[in-house]
């Protein structure tokens, strides 16, 4: 996943990030979809994005799969260090991966995010039905008026929850394998978390 910064109407002008450097610290990484050492975060040199790279985020059912492999999840707990006088929220999230789903099988990606100590956003889900063997991409968009911002003057960690789930459905898991993977991305604008910024009073 790549996370990029944008400014909503009424926020700072244009799409230029705050002038001071933005840093992101990974506090914890938990979940069956991101075992230790398989998820990494890197901030771009221009402060406009950061990329989360997964190397083992794969849910599957069928031949070669364990009974627990049908569902994989990952929770990232991040500390986003922003310049004084600014706060941020999430306006849009795009997820990308690859799936191979046999006829009758289905795969679902769902995600939510929240600031420490605040209510999580509702999970948003995207389901794909077999036969399907291709790249997939899902987009979650939040209306500007509904964006939840980190409280000004407070340091709260940011949590991202993602989940992949594969259902064999009417396919034959004794003879076939269906899977869905969350990939690293190429950093294009099509695969981004868009940060919405606003000045603090």
């Amino acid at each position: 996943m790549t996370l990029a910064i944008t400014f909503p109407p009424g926020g700072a002008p244009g799409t230029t990030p705050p002038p001071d450097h933005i840093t992101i610290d990974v506090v914890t990484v938990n979940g069956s979809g991101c075992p230790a050492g398989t998820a990494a975060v890197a901030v771009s040199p221009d402060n406009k994005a950061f990329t989360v790279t997964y190397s083992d985020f794969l849910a599957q059912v069928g031949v070669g799969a364990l009974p627990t492999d049908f569902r994989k999840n990952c929770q990232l707990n991040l500390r986003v260090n922003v310049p004084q006088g600014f706060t941020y929220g999430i306006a849009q999230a795009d997820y990308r991966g690859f799936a191979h789903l046999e006829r009758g099988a289905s795969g679902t990606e769902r995600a939510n995010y929240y600031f420490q100590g605040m209510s999580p956003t509702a999970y948003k889900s995207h389901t794909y039905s077999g036969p399907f063997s291709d790249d997939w991409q899902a987009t979650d968009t939040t209306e500007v008026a509904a964006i939840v911002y980190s409280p000004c003057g407070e340091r709260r960690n940011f949590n991202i929850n993602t989940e992949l789930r594969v259902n064999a459905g009417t396919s034959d898991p004794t003879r076939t394998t269906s899977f869905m993977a969350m990939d690293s991305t190429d950093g294009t604008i099509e695969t981004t978390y868009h940060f919405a910024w606003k000045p603090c009073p």
Side-chain angles (χ1 to χ4, degrees):
M1 294 183 297
T2 301
L3 286 78
I5 296 164
T6 59
F7 293 90
T15 56
T16 305
D20 295 335
H21 191 66
I22 299 159
T23 61
I24 298 171
D25 301 319
V26 180
V27 181
T28 57
V29 179
N30 290 306
S32 56
C34 50
T38 66
V41 178
V43 181
S44 65
D46 60 5
N47 289 348
K48 292 183 179 179
F50 71 82
T51 302
V52 182
T53 303
Y54 298 102
S55 60
D56 194 23
F57 203 161
L58 174 77
Q60 60 180 340
V61 293
V63 178
L66 297 173
T68 55
D69 285 348
F70 77 98
R71 176 186 177 273
K72 293 295 179 74
N73 74 296
C74 184
Q75 181 181 68
L76 296 175
N77 182 283
L78 307 176
R79 182 181 298 116
V80 182
N81 305 300
V82 301
Q84 188 172 4
F86 283 90
T87 187
Y88 69 95
I90 296 293
Q92 180 174 308
D94 299 291
Y95 304 90
R96 174 185 288 180
F98 183 85
H100 174 80
L101 303 170
E102 295 288 335
R103 184 178 301 277
S106 63
T108 299
E109 175 274 331
R110 71 175 199 151
N112 76 343
Y113 25 84
Y114 62 95
F115 294 102
Q116 184 178 12
M118 299 174 69
S119 298
T121 61
Y123 271 101
K124 294 185 179 181
S125 299
H126 303 269
T127 299
Y128 304 84
S129 298
F132 183 94
S133 189
D134 204 349
D135 294 323
W136 60 268
Q137 181 173 326
T139 299
D140 298 337
T141 303
T142 304
E143 295 296 328
V144 171
I147 295 173
V148 178
Y149 289 89
S150 178
C152 285
E154 296 183 24
R155 181 179 282 262
R156 298 205 183 192
N157 291 353
F158 181 59
N159 294 280
I160 303 172
N161 295 314
T162 50
E163 178 183 315
L164 296 177
R165 187 185 293 259
V166 178
N167 186 340
T170 58
S171 68
D172 184 355
T174 65
R175 301 177 59 186
T176 64
T177 302
S178 295
F179 68 86
M180 189 172 186
M182 185 88 75
D183 297 336
S184 58
T185 64
D186 55 14
T188 66
I189 199 168
E190 296 177 343
T191 57
T192 61
Y193 268 102
H194 302 268
F195 275 172
W197 292 86
K198 71 175 183 179
C200 288

